[in-house]
Amino acid sequence: MNTNKKTKYLGQQLISFMFIFMLILFLVTFLITRQLAYKVMRSNAEESISNLTETNAQMIDKNLSNIMTIAQELRTVINDDLYTPKQLKRHIHHLLIDNPRLISVCLAYDKPSTKRTQTFYLENQQIRSIPAEDDDYLYKDWFQIPWLSLRPWWSDPWFDNLGSKERVCSYSLPLTIKGKHQGIIRLDTPMESLHRIVKPIRVKKTGFAFMIASNGMIVAHPRDSLAMNYSAFDFANRYGDQELRQICKNAVSGQSGFERFRFEKPGPDVWIAYRPLPSNHWSLLVEVPNSEVFADLHSLSIITTIAFVLAFLIFSGTIWYRTSALNQPLSELVDAIKLAGEGELQSGPEIDSNTYEIQVIAENFEKMKSSLTSHINNLQQVTEEKNRIMAEVAFASIIQRNLIPKNDDASKLPANLKAFGILEPAGAIGGDLYDYFLKDDKHFLFAIADVAGKGVAAAMTMTMMTTLLRTVSSDKDKPEDILHILNTFLVENNPKSDFVTMGLGIIDLESGSCVFSNAGHTPIYQLKAAGGFSKFATTHSTALGFFDNIKITSDVLQLAPGDKILVFTDGVSEAVDRHDKLFGTDGLEKVLNKEAGSSPEETVQAVLAAVGEFADTQKSHDDTTILVVEFLKPLNC
């Protein structure tokens, strides 16, 4: 690795770090600034567009209000009976001439036979009237709704095929003469006049306005093909969008709003402002593309990004220049560190730098090399000592395993017995023990024990117990007598005061009688040849090594041909899973129920496998020992 490459690598690291820092700073600043700008621009856009919508809505409503005023005045003239029919016709003629947005007037009576129902309109500046040929008008909306509600009403657009031959919107109000409800006055204004107001409205560059009736029908739109042919709800159904449907509902219900709506791709993303027309409960809507509403925000984002890139390039050049000056002494220091990593601690270059930090690093590096040399020497001594201790522990483990019976040595067993045991210490050596041997020609002794400790001390205690057990059992016939001697020995010769739990039994090979004592140990099981088992959980004394002169008793169980005895240490029953649940005797007994008729070895392996499958190795740290003895038949049979 050459110097230039090292210098480039250091510069890249610093620039990368600076880039990440600046990128995070830029993103945070950019997002906060953009969010604030977005709120301000949205507020301004909402205010300006809403005001424009309101202004145009008032302009349209003013035209409608003028029609309403004329209708009120005409009703007053008729109610007061001021004119003769000719004079009333002349008055209506003047109204039509003076008000271009008024296209026709209809006087419709409840009983056509009583008074003549007529529609008045202009033709070549002359008034024309069309009498009602039948009473179908009584069932039209412009007549029925105000007649039944007794209130004025603006109709939705409809085509007047009798009078003006145009699409009109009608204002109807009840006609009352001398306090009696007589009929309806209807004034018609052409939809084309409203369309001419709405069509030129422009917001931003491409924003436009349109108007919908109280049922959602589009009554005025810059695209002529949409007016009176589609409803606003048709577009909501086409896109299947509930958001657009809600906007339409709000508009037709007379609410005001300014909301964003995103059409399905490749449709536009737009803002919609809507305002009601107080006169007839229609609504004026303005649609503006989102890109035009926030065009300034987009420009601000581009300018901010360009400023960030320029700032990054300036800072990068500055850091690159400075790292080049720092690289020379750092490269020499790196070479010295590489030599130290290869084990060369005695030599190294002289680091000369006018940078305080580099000089401090160089001085302390020399101190570190000296300390590291001393540490290596100490570590070598510690390693040698550790290897010696591990060798001794391994030797102790071999000795411990040699003290327990070999399962493959059948010569140590009488002809009418089978036995199989296993001991798995938690560490290199453990504190568990099992043993079995012929006490004499007619008696077979088996034992299992657990020292309440671990490590070398527990293994030494168990080694002493194994040796003493074989020594004292030769002239003692009862388990309790043997346990008394072991207890006395532990009380007098156990400096660590480790106590020992032990189960010890003696089988009469001729009768199958088994005398056993349990000194604080786990239960003993008798597995019946025909299936099932008996559990003996009673202890006959406390654990050995606590007190001198303890009282120890025993029990007798009778073995039939094919019966087995199973003993174990708490490494089986106290195994826990990852939920801290104990394997317990319940788990053991589930295994035993499945092992009827199995050999001692099969039984031991089945229990060991079940414990291994159940236990969490991170939580179970105890020695595991299992011994099974099978009584085949009485001796000499």
Side-chain angles (χ1 to χ4, degrees):
M1 183 182 292
N2 56 49
T3 302
N4 289 334
K5 190 172 183 180
K6 291 179 184 177
T7 305
K8 182 179 179 181
Y9 177 77
L10 179 60
Q12 285 179 338
Q13 291 297 309
L14 292 175
I15 291 173
S16 298
F17 173 78
M18 185 201 66
F19 174 76
I20 294 173
F21 172 77
M22 290 189 64
L23 179 61
I24 295 174
L25 180 62
F26 166 75
L27 289 176
V28 172
T29 305
F30 178 81
L31 292 175
I32 293 175
T33 304
R34 183 180 177 85
Q35 186 65 23
L36 293 175
Y38 174 85
K39 291 182 178 179
V40 172
M41 291 182 182
R42 185 196 182 283
S43 178
N44 292 338
E46 179 177 3
E47 182 178 0
S48 62
I49 296 175
S50 297
N51 288 340
L52 177 63
T53 306
E54 182 68 27
T55 301
N56 285 277
Q58 291 177 1
M59 183 185 303
I60 297 172
D61 193 67
K62 182 179 180 181
N63 287 275
L64 299 178
S65 298
N66 187 42
I67 299 297
M68 295 169 63
T69 301
I70 295 172
Q72 295 288 349
E73 293 175 351
L74 181 60
R75 182 172 67 171
T76 300
V77 169
I78 297 174
N79 286 345
D80 294 344
D81 198 17
L82 300 177
Y83 295 143
T84 64
K86 288 184 178 180
Q87 290 175 327
L88 179 62
K89 182 177 180 180
R90 188 179 307 113
H91 179 72
I92 294 174
H93 184 200
H94 289 302
L95 290 177
L96 293 173
I97 292 176
D98 296 339
N99 298 278
R101 299 191 189 280
L102 180 62
I103 193 172
S104 58
V105 176
C106 177
L107 301 179
Y109 295 96
D110 178 38
K111 297 179 180 179
S113 60
T114 303
K115 291 187 177 182
R116 187 179 183 187
T117 296
Q118 288 181 302
T119 301
F120 300 93
Y121 65 96
L122 289 180
E123 183 177 317
N124 297 324
Q125 296 298 312
Q126 298 297 319
I127 190 169
R128 295 287 184 267
S129 65
I130 302 175
E133 298 178 355
D134 51 40
D135 58 357
D136 285 349
Y137 66 88
L138 296 175
Y139 308 102
K140 294 184 181 296
D141 288 347
W142 61 264
F143 186 94
Q144 268 205 337
I145 293 177
W147 175 262
L148 296 175
S149 65
L150 300 180
R151 288 186 297 180
W153 182 76
W154 274 100
S155 72
D156 290 332
W158 60 285
F159 187 77
D160 182 12
N161 58 351
L162 294 178
S164 61
K165 308 296 183 182
E166 293 186 30
R167 194 174 298 276
V168 298
C169 172
S170 300
Y171 178 71
S172 305
L173 73 166
L175 178 62
T176 304
I177 301 177
K178 296 181 180 180
K180 187 176 181 181
H181 196 30
Q182 297 290 327
I184 297 295
I185 297 177
R186 190 194 80 215
L187 275 71
D188 303 327
T189 182
M191 289 304 302
E192 181 61 28
S193 63
L194 298 179
H195 184 70
R196 284 195 297 268
I197 298 175
V198 174
K199 188 173 183 179
I201 298 175
R202 285 292 177 267
V203 184
K204 300 292 184 181
K205 293 182 178 180
T206 60
F208 60 90
F210 62 98
M211 191 162 54
I212 62 174
S214 57
N215 61 358
M217 176 65 68
I218 299 175
V219 296
H221 197 283
R223 292 172 58 184
D224 296 335
S225 60
L226 298 181
M228 305 308 301
N229 292 320
Y230 292 93
S231 165
F233 292 101
D234 292 337
F235 293 94
N237 294 333
R238 177 187 300 178
Y239 292 106
D241 192 282
Q242 293 300 321
E243 183 180 355
L244 180 57
R245 178 177 293 276
Q246 188 60 47
I247 293 175
C248 296
K249 287 183 178 179
N250 293 343
V252 299
S253 65
Q255 299 182 37
S256 299
F258 183 73
E259 301 180 34
R260 186 176 183 178
F261 174 70
R262 296 176 176 85
F263 287 88
E264 291 182 353
K265 291 183 178 180
D269 181 3
V270 300
W271 287 87
I272 299 177
Y274 48 92
R275 289 290 184 276
L277 304 180
S279 297
N280 62 355
H281 304 293
W282 292 1
S283 291
L284 180 67
L285 292 87
V286 172
E287 179 180 310
V288 188
N290 180 72
S291 59
E292 295 180 13
V293 173
F294 295 103
D296 293 339
L297 181 61
H298 178 67
S299 300
L300 178 63
S301 301
I302 294 175
I303 293 172
T304 305
T305 303
I306 294 174
F308 166 76
V309 173
L310 291 176
F312 171 72
L313 293 175
I314 294 172
F315 277 107
S316 298
T318 303
I319 290 179
W320 186 269
Y321 173 78
R322 185 54 185 159
T323 52
S324 298
L326 293 174
N327 184 69
Q328 181 62 34
L330 286 177
S331 297
E332 295 176 1
L333 188 58
V334 168
D335 291 337
I337 293 173
K338 285 181 60 180
L339 291 174
E342 296 171 357
E344 179 56 58
L345 301 176
Q346 303 304 320
S347 61
E350 291 292 334
I351 306 298
D352 185 16
S353 174
N354 58 1
T355 302
Y356 172 77
E357 289 81 0
I358 296 178
Q359 190 63 39
V360 171
I361 293 173
E363 292 174 358
N364 284 275
F365 176 66
E366 292 299 323
K367 295 179 181 179
M368 183 192 69
K369 289 198 298 182
S370 176
S371 298
L372 188 59
T373 301
S374 299
H375 178 71
I376 291 174
N377 293 334
N378 293 334
L379 186 60
Q380 289 176 344
Q381 296 176 4
V382 172
T383 302
E384 291 174 359
E385 182 66 18
K386 179 181 177 181
N387 291 337
R388 183 185 65 79
I389 294 173
M390 291 302 297
E392 293 176 356
V393 171
F395 182 69
S397 176
I398 294 173
I399 293 175
Q400 185 184 34
R401 290 187 176 276
N402 287 336
L403 290 175
I404 63 176
K406 303 294 188 297
N407 290 312
D408 55 357
D409 188 1
S411 63
K412 300 295 181 65
L413 293 171
N416 64 335
L417 286 182
K418 285 184 179 180
F420 190 89
I422 191 166
L423 189 158
E424 288 194 352
I429 53 178
D432 278 7
L433 159 73
Y434 78 86
D435 199 1
Y436 57 80
F437 52 86
L438 275 169
K439 184 178 175 298
D440 53 45
D441 293 341
K442 297 181 180 180
H443 295 88
F444 179 79
L445 183 147
F446 65 89
I448 191 167
D450 184 3
V451 178
K454 291 182 175 64
V456 176
M460 292 298 295
T461 300
M462 196 52 68
T463 301
M464 292 188 295
M465 295 295 290
T466 303
T467 305
L468 187 59
L469 175 64
R470 288 181 175 260
T471 301
V472 302
S473 62
S474 59
D475 56 353
K476 299 294 181 182
D477 297 330
K478 297 181 178 180
E480 55 265 39
D481 294 338
I482 299 173
L483 293 177
H484 264 299
I485 297 174
L486 297 178
N487 181 67
T488 301
F489 176 82
L490 284 173
V491 171
E492 295 176 353
N493 299 283
N494 186 6
K496 282 199 66 178
S497 299
D498 288 337
F499 63 88
V500 177
T501 65
M502 178 175 282
L504 191 148
I506 299 177
I507 300 175
D508 188 325
L509 300 177
E510 291 183 341
S511 65
S513 174
C514 176
V515 182
F516 69 92
S517 287
N518 185 334
H521 200 68
T522 54
I524 182 173
Y525 282 86
Q526 179 183 2
L527 311 181
K528 305 297 180 63
F533 56 81
S534 296
K535 175 182 177 182
F536 300 91
T538 302
T539 56
H540 302 98
S541 73
T542 62
L544 307 180
F546 271 131
F547 309 106
D548 195 8
N549 297 323
I550 59 175
K551 182 179 179 181
I552 304 175
T553 60
S554 62
D555 276 325
V556 179
L557 61 88
Q558 183 62 45
L559 298 175
D563 285 358
K564 295 188 287 290
I565 292 175
L566 181 142
V567 289
F568 58 95
T569 60
D570 57 7
V572 173
S573 57
E574 294 181 4
V576 295
D577 64 5
R578 60 189 182 92
H579 302 295
D580 293 329
K581 180 181 178 182
L582 288 173
F583 184 74
T585 55
D586 291 340
L588 174 63
E589 290 170 4
K590 289 180 182 178
V591 179
L592 298 181
N593 282 326
K594 300 177 183 178
E595 296 300 317
S598 300
S599 67
E601 180 178 359
E602 291 172 338
T603 302
V604 170
Q605 296 294 352
V607 173
L608 187 65
V611 172
E613 182 178 351
F614 175 85
D616 184 349
T617 57
Q618 301 297 322
K619 297 182 178 181
S620 297
H621 303 290
D622 206 355
D623 304 333
T624 302
T625 304
I626 309 168
L627 173 63
V628 175
V629 179
E630 181 178 9
F631 180 72
L632 300 175
K633 60 182 180 179
L635 193 63
N636 299 325
C637 287

